[in-house]
Amino acid sequence: MHGIVFWNEQFVQNFWDSGFPSKTDKFVSNLYTWQDARTDFQFLGKLPKPHSHLKAYSGYGCNTIFWLKENQPEILNNFNHCGTIQDLIVSILCNQGKPVMSTHNAASWGYFDVTNCSWNIDILTEASFPIHLLPSVVQPGINVGTLYETIHHIPKGTVVGVALGDLQCSVIATLTTMTDAVINISTSAQVAFIAKEIETQCDGVEYFPYFDNYFLAVAASLNGGNVLDFFVRSVFSWVSALGLTITEDELWNRLLHFSPEDHLTTLKVNPLIFGERHNPTTYGSLINITNDNFTLSELFSGFCKGLINNLLEMMPRELLLKAGIKRFIGTGSVITKNHIIKKEIETCFNLPLNVTMSEDSAFGAALAILKNNPLLFNKN
C-alpha cells in the first residue's frame, strides 16, 4: 500500500509482445517498500506539511519520490509512470497507459486529501514535486479495464478492478458486523475497526479510506512478529556462540510450551525494536529487572505482553468502546500460534477474542469487486 515502483509503457507492452526480457532496468525500477528508511526523521522534517487528516511517514510513496528527487533524480527522469506494485500489475493486465489508483493506495502514499479525493497539487507543485508522475485516483471497487489477452485460462475481456489496499481487503474478508474489530499480528501488527466518520485522533490511530464511504480506524504498529523473530534469533545466536546446538524450530517450540506459571512475570519489556511511525525516536527497553525474573521464559513472556500493551497504548480500549466494539477477531500467524499473545489480548483489552484463519486479502479483493459487479457471481 505504501510502496512505489516506476515504469514506462514499454515495460507493459513487453509483457504481451514477448514476455519480460532479462534486462528490464531501462523500463522499470526496483520496488521501494514501506520498509525503505532513507526518508528518516530529519528528512521528513524538511518536507511540506500535507493537506490531509493523514500524515506521511517514512516509506510512503510521495516521500520516497521527494527523497529520490533530492538524491537520485535520474530515477525520476528515466520513467513516466509510477504506482504501487499492484497498480503496475493492473496496468499490465489491462495493457494500460497511465495507471489508475484507488483511494486506499493514494491515502497510503501521503499528500492525498481523502475528503476531496485529490492529490495536494498546490503544495506539491510549490515544492517542485514531479506531479506528472502521479496516477489518477478512483474509488475502491471501480472497474478500470479488462484483461488484454487470455492468460492462464482467464479469458480476454475479464473485468479488472482497481488495485485495493491489503489491509482493507483483509478486513472486509474477516468482519461480519460493525461491532467487531480486527487485531492482526504477523510481521507487523494492526488493530482496526470500521468507522462512519473521522473522530478526534489518538497519536497512534489514523482513519484510512475503506469501502462505501466508510473509514477504517487503524492502529498500525511496526512491531509484531518481527520483534519475536528478532528475540528468537538473538537467543539462537547466543546459544551458538557458546558452542551449543539447537534449531530455531526447537527453540520456538520450547518457548511456546513453557508452563503458564512461567509467564507470570514482573519484568516489563518495551518491545519497540523498530520504533513507531508516530514516535520514531523511541526504541525498546527492559524495566524492573530483579535477581529472580531475568529468565528466558519471562523474557519471552515480557516481549509478548509488551507487544499487546503497545497496541493498547496506540488504540485505547475507551476508543473501541466508544465505537461500539464488543469483540475482537484475531488473525495472523502470531495470534494463531502463540497462546501468550491470545491471553494478553483478552486481558489487556478486556474484550473477547475469536481467532480465525479466514483473513485473506485476495478473498477480500474478490468480495469488493463482486459488490460492484453482482452479475459476475454465478449463484449456481
Side-chain angles (χ1 to χ4, degrees):
M1 292 168 61
H2 304 295
I4 185 171
V5 62
F6 302 87
W7 69 91
N8 292 326
E9 288 93 344
Q10 188 64 42
F11 182 70
V12 174
Q13 192 61 49
N14 278 347
F15 176 83
W16 296 106
D17 290 346
S18 57
F20 293 131
S22 57
K23 293 283 187 179
T24 61
D25 55 329
K26 289 184 178 180
F27 306 125
V28 67
S29 74
N30 290 323
L31 170 65
Y32 302 87
T33 76
W34 64 272
Q35 293 174 303
D36 190 331
R38 290 177 294 181
T39 50
D40 57 20
F41 190 64
Q42 288 72 27
F43 183 83
L44 294 177
K46 301 187 301 182
L47 301 183
K49 183 179 179 181
H51 177 65
S52 172
H53 72 278
L54 294 167
K55 298 178 182 178
Y57 296 106
S58 177
Y60 280 30
C62 283
N63 286 341
T64 299
I65 292 179
F66 270 121
W67 190 94
L68 292 171
K69 173 178 169 292
E70 183 172 311
N71 296 277
Q72 295 179 349
E74 67 277 6
I75 297 292
L76 304 182
N77 295 332
N78 289 340
F79 305 104
N80 53 18
H81 297 309
C82 68
T84 65
I85 187 69
Q86 61 264 43
D87 296 321
L88 172 56
I89 297 298
V90 168
S91 290
I92 291 172
L93 293 176
C94 299
N95 196 10
Q96 208 170 48
K98 187 175 178 63
V100 180
M101 175 183 274
S102 69
T103 57
H104 290 177
N105 291 336
S108 300
W109 266 19
Y111 294 94
F112 181 79
D113 187 342
V114 174
T115 304
N116 296 324
C117 193
S118 62
W119 299 105
N120 294 169
I121 297 297
D122 292 343
I123 295 172
L124 294 173
T125 300
E126 188 173 347
S128 300
F129 183 96
I131 57 174
H132 66 279
L133 289 174
L134 293 175
S136 303
V137 181
V138 298
Q139 294 297 322
I142 295 296
N143 300 333
V144 295
T146 57
L147 185 60
Y148 183 66
E149 293 287 355
T150 297
I151 182 171
H152 295 297
H153 306 293
I154 304 173
K156 175 182 178 178
T158 297
V159 170
V160 178
V162 67
L164 305 170
D166 56 334
L167 178 58
Q168 287 92 334
C169 288
S170 67
V171 170
I172 198 174
T174 304
L175 293 188
T176 57
T177 173
M178 294 277 287
T179 60
D180 284 346
V182 169
I183 182 165
N184 173 73
I185 308 179
S186 47
T187 302
S188 54
Q190 302 88 28
V191 178
F193 64 87
I194 302 169
K196 294 180 179 180
E197 57 187 13
I198 300 170
E199 299 285 349
T200 302
Q201 292 178 237
C202 305
D203 287 342
V205 177
E206 293 195 289
Y207 288 76
F208 287 96
Y210 187 56
F211 296 98
D212 300 325
N213 295 317
Y214 283 92
F215 292 91
L216 195 64
V218 183
S221 173
L222 301 180
N223 299 275
N226 52 2
V227 170
L228 299 182
D229 286 339
F230 164 81
F231 174 73
V232 170
R233 288 197 306 271
S234 297
V235 174
F236 181 77
S237 68
W238 300 338
V239 171
S240 299
L242 293 172
L244 305 175
T245 302
I246 188 174
T247 67
E248 283 197 36
D249 286 342
E250 289 173 327
L251 180 56
W252 270 110
N253 187 59
R254 294 189 187 188
L255 290 171
L256 290 171
H257 288 86
F258 280 122
S259 66
E261 290 75 16
D262 292 330
H263 303 308
L264 301 175
T265 181
T266 57
L267 181 68
K268 295 185 182 300
V269 180
N270 177 13
L272 303 187
I273 305 299
F274 301 99
E276 291 292 8
R277 290 190 178 103
H278 67 282
N279 190 9
T281 59
T282 299
Y283 290 96
S285 61
L286 299 176
I287 304 171
N288 202 35
I289 300 174
T290 67
N291 65 336
D292 62 356
N293 70 359
F294 200 63
T295 66
L296 182 58
S297 63
E298 292 188 73
L299 271 172
F300 183 69
S301 177
F303 269 93
C304 292
K305 293 180 178 183
L307 288 176
I308 305 307
N309 279 321
N310 179 53
L311 287 174
L312 180 62
E313 289 183 9
M314 295 176 66
M315 178 76 82
R317 183 173 184 271
E318 293 74 21
L319 183 60
L320 293 167
L321 296 180
K322 183 180 178 181
I325 302 302
K326 298 180 180 179
R327 182 181 65 161
F328 271 131
I329 304 297
T331 65
S333 58
V334 175
I335 293 179
T336 57
K337 296 177 181 179
N338 191 320
H339 65 94
I340 310 171
I341 290 287
K342 293 177 190 174
K343 180 180 178 182
E344 288 303 313
I345 291 172
E346 292 185 313
T347 301
C348 292
F349 284 96
N350 194 22
L351 287 169
L353 171 68
N354 180 42
V355 179
T356 177
M357 302 289 290
S358 65
E359 180 265 337
D360 188 321
S361 297
F363 178 59
L367 287 178
I369 292 298
L370 287 173
K371 285 181 64 178
N372 284 273
N373 299 273
L375 295 179
L376 292 176
F377 182 65
N378 184 348
K379 294 183 179 180
N380 297 322

